[in-house]
Amino acid sequence: SSDVCSSDLYLAEQTAGGRPEGSIDVMGVPWEKRESSTRRSLVRIDGGVTTIVSGTLPWDRLPTIAASLTAS
């Protein structure tokens, strides 16, 4: 579907072409790990909402940032 294609393109753009590298549990919530040559990203898709935590931090620092996010 076009939604899936658009989502794939959006994820590729936001994660610098990051490839799936498994998943990680953040406070009981699974996040997909993606990695590119320049960026590490955690991705969560829930109820049609996509949340991405992305940067050059080491893997052990990204979950702390993801855990600090709250829905409003």
Side-chain angles (χ1 to χ4, degrees), residues 28-64:
V29 178
W31 289 70
E32 179 184 60
K33 293 170 65 175
R34 289 183 171 243
E35 189 165 13
S36 73
S37 62
T38 61
R39 191 180 301 172
R40 293 175 192 92
S41 305
L42 294 178
V43 177
R44 180 169 182 243
I45 301 172
D46 182 42
V49 175
T50 301
T51 305
I52 301 171
V53 175
S54 188
T56 58
L57 293 170
W59 278 121
D60 63 343
R61 303 266 316 271
L62 287 176
T64 302

